[in-house]
Amino acid sequence: MNIITHPDIETVFDNYPDTVRSQMRALRQLVIDTAAEIPEIDAVEVTLKWREPSFITKQGSTLRMDWKAKKPDQYAMYFKCTSRLVETFKLAFGDLFTYENNRAILFQLDQEVPVAELKQCIKATLLYHQVKSDPMLGI
């Protein structure tokens, strides 16, 4: 799999506070590892959208992640709010995750991330254009 990385990505990760940097790097690695496990994906673009780390595949919907200073104890993974992604995650996983409307999954800094379930969310996002006709998006 080819990973195309925007030159400013490392600067963004380096500028996260020490309290969240390792969580953000782990989340980024989880997205890349998940993409590598999907045979249909041959490339992932890691870029910046709205100054936030973003992941784009030709088969999927943009997946973003970020930490915000105004909510210092949490970080998030963002999804296109007009898609059925978060709505479907709520059906599949209920209160396993904390959601922000139809746009994000929120994580607390000290929270253990449910990796297996989050990988299913990532996969559905990276393949969204291929799975959007499936009622549960392949989850």
Side-chain angles (χ1 to χ4, degrees):
M1 182 185 68
N2 188 20
I3 301 172
I4 305 149
T5 304
H6 187 282
D8 293 335
I9 285 291
E10 281 309 312
T11 303
V12 171
F13 280 92
D14 290 344
N15 287 328
Y16 283 124
D18 292 344
T19 56
V20 72
R21 188 177 305 119
S22 64
Q23 291 92 330
M24 293 300 296
R25 288 185 189 279
L27 206 56
R28 172 181 60 177
Q29 192 60 51
L30 185 62
V31 173
I32 291 168
D33 291 348
T34 302
E37 295 170 4
I38 303 170
E40 297 91 339
I41 295 177
D42 59 2
V44 175
E45 182 181 357
V46 184
T47 190
L48 296 174
K49 289 198 175 240
W50 300 284
R51 294 185 296 264
E52 298 171 347
S54 303
F55 304 83
I56 302 168
T57 65
K58 64 183 176 185
Q59 302 89 340
S61 180
T62 300
L63 185 155
R64 295 179 295 118
M65 64 176 62
D66 203 20
W67 169 89
K68 311 260 189 233
K70 60 185 171 181
K71 294 188 179 179
D73 294 330
Q74 72 180 31
Y75 58 107
M77 186 171 276
Y78 298 96
F79 308 89
K80 186 173 181 183
C81 62
T82 57
S83 73
R84 292 187 307 109
L85 288 161
V86 174
E87 168 188 321
T88 305
F89 303 158
K90 289 176 183 178
L91 288 172
F93 303 113
D95 62 1
L96 178 65
F97 294 111
T98 301
Y99 308 95
E100 182 179 300
N101 302 317
N102 279 337
R103 68 184 296 255
I105 295 176
L106 307 175
F107 305 99
Q108 297 302 309
L109 291 183
D110 60 354
Q111 172 185 352
E112 185 172 327
V113 174
V115 172
E117 294 83 359
L118 185 56
K119 285 180 77 165
Q120 291 182 62
C121 298
I122 293 167
K123 181 178 180 182
T125 304
L126 298 178
L127 291 175
Y128 186 68
H129 297 302
Q130 290 184 350
V131 299
K132 66 183 176 184
S133 62
D134 181 314
M136 289 301 291
L137 306 179
I139 295 174

